[in-house]
Amino acid sequence: QAPVAESGGGWAEAGGSLRLSCAASGRLFSRSNMGWYRQAPGKQRELVATITSGTSTNYADSVKGRFTISRDNAKNTVSLEMNSLKPEDTAVYYCNMKSSPPYVWNYWGQGTQVTVSS
């Protein structure tokens, strides 16, 4: 079983909403910093949002006010609520689970495609 696995990607019109979920296996989740990253065609992978084990959040400027990251330690899940979607949000979205530095563990999901049409 993969340490983390994303679900919930798909297609939306500009201005619409999608919700991504990431399920983590094992006992590391509650001690992990979780993050969502994305990679658009021809571009480098970039940070979208992170949430620490202490639930502090951080967002890329491009998604502030539109996206919300949250976690449920009882269910070992992290979610990304995406509102007011824009075509430039189109990318493969990846879930990341890692420890605090020096990153004793650092796991990536397979990614889920999000496509936003104008």
Side-chain angles (χ1 to χ4, degrees):
Q1 186 176 1
V4 290
E6 305 93 342
S7 62
W11 175 88
E13 290 185 344
S17 300
L18 285 172
R19 183 180 177 87
L20 304 182
S21 293
C22 173
S25 61
R27 301 179 180 181
L28 300 176
F29 182 83
S30 62
R31 294 184 285 137
S32 296
N33 299 319
M34 302 299 297
W36 288 96
Y37 294 73
R38 67 187 181 188
Q39 187 167 17
K43 296 187 177 181
Q44 291 189 332
R45 190 173 298 187
E46 64 176 3
L47 179 148
V48 175
T50 60
I51 184 167
T52 68
S53 58
T55 68
S56 295
T57 59
N58 181 55
Y59 296 91
D61 288 343
S62 59
V63 306
K64 280 182 181 176
R66 301 189 297 122
F67 291 11
T68 302
I69 188 171
S70 60
R71 67 188 296 161
D72 186 336
N73 286 346
K75 296 182 179 179
N76 278 18
T77 58
V78 61
S79 300
L80 185 69
E81 185 73 34
M82 305 185 293
N83 298 314
S84 301
L85 284 164
K86 303 176 180 180
E88 50 263 44
D89 295 320
T90 295
V92 178
Y93 284 69
Y94 296 91
C95 178
N96 176 255
M97 178 172 72
K98 62 187 173 191
S99 68
S100 297
Y103 306 125
V104 176
W105 63 87
N106 187 6
Y107 299 112
W108 292 91
Q110 296 285 341
T112 186
Q113 177 70 45
V114 170
T115 302
V116 183
S117 65
S118 57

